[in-house]
Amino acid sequence: MNLSRIALATGVAASTVLLLAGPAAAHVSVQPQGEAAKGGYATLNFKVPNERDQASTVKLEVNFPAEQPLSSVTPEAVPGWKIEITKGKLDKPLEVHGRKITEAVTKVTWTADGSKIEPGYFQQFPVSVGRLPEDADQMIFKAIQTYDNKEVVRWIEEPKAGGEEPDSPAPVLALSAASDDHHGGGAAGDDHAADDKAASAEGDKKETHAASSSSSDTTARTLGIIGIVVGIAGVAFGVLAGRRRSA
């Protein structure tokens, strides 16, 4: 009987530790859909859990690293949330697909507009980005979470290699090795690959149409020449026949 009570007490204690540790471990984080390859494109999910029992999250600000500017940042529409994109001038323009990019996104802000993240729930905010840096192993996105009771939580502490996780760690995106096609993984990479395939297919279609038109023109010219020859032969035959009747 005593052993049963001890086991029960141990189980309750362990459950309490887990419950207490759960909220402390939850924080704003970022994960790619698939993989985020160096030099490629990716769709990133910023995951925002609600850590409060008596308040709801109504705003998220994600700051993009100024030393790793991205030429393309496109957030996905999230029902019930208004999106604001902030851009800034680049000290050094980026060269992308043969054109110069002089400004880049510095911050994306989601503000509740008919929705909110209630206690016990989380929300993901997807963003398509590219191209990812080729000379880095990670990207750090400092985030600010605001609750409807005016509380602000700043997830801005950068982790240190070999050290313990900070109390308010900034979301860190790990970059994988560069892929051969530079499209990366996930939906964004698939979208860019699909665009390339569509452009290629459109080019093939134009070439096929041009070849078909050229073939049609050649056939028309040939038939026209044959018609002229037949017409001349008919006229000559008529003249000869008339002469014979006259004779």
Side-chain angles (χ1 to χ4, degrees):
M1 191 69 177
N2 291 336
L3 291 176
S4 298
R5 291 178 179 176
I6 293 173
L8 179 60
T10 303
V12 171
S15 299
T16 304
V17 171
L18 289 175
L19 289 174
L20 293 175
H27 53 77
V28 175
S29 60
V30 59
Q31 290 293 333
Q33 292 182 13
E35 66 173 1
K38 298 177 182 180
Y41 296 86
T43 294
L44 310 180
N45 284 327
F46 288 94
K47 183 178 179 181
V48 184
N50 194 325
E51 296 184 301
R52 302 295 180 261
D53 295 329
Q54 304 298 327
S56 297
T57 298
V58 293
K59 187 177 182 181
L60 172 69
E61 300 171 62
V62 174
N63 293 278
F64 286 69
E67 66 279 7
Q68 298 167 321
L70 300 172
S71 61
S72 175
V73 176
T74 308
E76 180 179 331
V78 179
W81 294 82
K82 181 177 64 176
I83 302 174
E84 181 182 356
I85 300 174
T86 304
K87 294 184 177 181
K89 291 289 184 180
L90 294 175
D91 295 332
K92 183 180 179 181
L94 297 175
E95 187 79 20
V96 181
H97 300 305
R99 63 190 183 94
K100 286 187 176 181
I101 305 297
T102 58
E103 64 177 12
V105 172
T106 58
K107 181 171 67 173
V108 177
T109 304
W110 291 265
T111 305
D113 186 20
S115 183
K116 60 179 65 176
I117 308 174
E118 299 179 352
Y121 291 86
F122 74 89
Q123 176 71 52
Q124 293 195 109
F125 299 92
V127 182
S128 174
V129 301
R131 289 186 171 186
L132 298 171
E134 298 180 350
D135 56 354
D137 295 324
Q138 65 180 23
M139 296 182 72
I140 298 176
F141 300 87
K142 296 182 178 181
I144 300 175
Q145 181 179 11
T146 303
Y147 289 89
D148 56 6
N149 62 356
K150 308 303 181 182
E151 179 186 1
V152 176
V153 181
R154 301 178 183 277
W155 304 100
I156 60 174
E157 297 182 54
E158 299 187 18
K160 296 181 180 179
E164 295 184 358
E165 183 178 66
D167 293 334
S168 300
V172 178
L173 174 67
L175 301 178
S176 59
S179 58
D180 294 335
D181 59 5
H182 281 280
H183 289 302
D190 295 339
D191 289 343
H192 285 283
D195 291 342
D196 291 342
K197 290 180 180 178
S200 178
E202 184 65 23
D204 293 342
K205 186 186 295 183
K206 290 180 179 179
E207 290 180 3
T208 301
H209 178 71
S212 178
S213 299
S214 177
S215 177
S216 298
D217 292 343
T218 302
T219 301
R221 291 194 187 101
T222 302
L223 291 176
I225 293 172
I226 293 174
I228 293 172
V229 172
V230 171
I232 293 173
V235 172
F237 179 78
V239 172
L240 291 174
R243 287 179 179 177
R244 288 176 181 173
R245 283 196 292 269
S246 298

